[in-house]
Amino acid sequence: MTDEAYQQRTGRFAAMLIKQAAWPAVIVLACDGFAPLVASARGALHAPIAVLALLVAAASAVVVLGISALLALDVLLFRLMASHDNERSGCGAVDDLLARMRLRPAPSSPRPLDDRVAGTRRLLARQRITFAIFVIAFLTAGFWMPR
């Protein structure tokens, strides 16, 4: 991969990643902002299934927001990589930064870009699964709320 192709690929991945980190967080925050109002207005605190579904939705919302924060950190790390001339120096800069922040031990050689992208894609998959759990629990709570 040429140096310019590396920078473009890394920049595009960071741009895609910020969108993927933001939209689930915005939806979760919007839904969680209105959930207590709707639940109290409809008497959901008297339906045990609705209460359980709201608790599951709240727990999964926290996880979705946490993963979104991790993805936002990954965006910054990919942008740092893209600011370097080649893959070796960019990945080395990220490894150095993570080691100085004591988030990861310093590796003997920098991890390649493909490994980093694969790890971030696994994190994205976890976010989507957790977001699906949130949506199902949130809709279940709405279905079981007394009318």
Side-chain angles (χ1 to χ4, degrees), residues 6-77:
Y6 155 76
Q7 288 175 331
Q8 288 178 353
R9 179 178 177 215
T10 308
R12 278 193 315 267
F13 188 72
M16 180 275 303
L17 199 57
I18 192 66
K19 293 173 192 165
Q20 295 299 319
W23 71 263
V26 168
I27 292 172
V28 164
L29 289 173
C31 290
D32 279 348
F34 292 111
L37 300 173
V38 173
S40 65
R42 294 183 72 188
L45 301 178
H46 301 292
I49 294 175
V51 171
L52 179 64
L54 284 174
L55 289 174
V56 170
S60 60
V62 170
V63 174
V64 168
L65 293 175
I67 293 174
S68 289
L70 288 174
L71 290 172
L73 174 65
D74 278 359
V75 167
L76 296 175
L77 295 176

Side-chain angles (χ1 to χ4, degrees), residues 26 28 32 37 39 44-45 47-48 58-59 61 87 103-104 110-111 113 118-119 121-122 126 132 134 143 147:
V26 168
V28 164
D32 279 348
L37 300 173
L45 301 178
E87 181 177 354
L103 295 175
R104 283 191 181 231
R111 276 182 35 216
L113 178 63
R121 288 195 189 278
R122 285 191 297 271
R126 289 181 186 139
F134 168 78
F143 178 76
R147 306 264 181 233

Side-chain angles (χ1 to χ4, degrees), residues 85-103:
D85 292 333
N86 57 35
E87 181 177 354
R88 184 157 178 82
S89 67
C91 292
V94 168
D95 286 338
D96 181 53
L97 177 67
L98 293 174
R100 283 188 284 141
M101 292 174 65
R102 296 185 181 157
L103 295 175

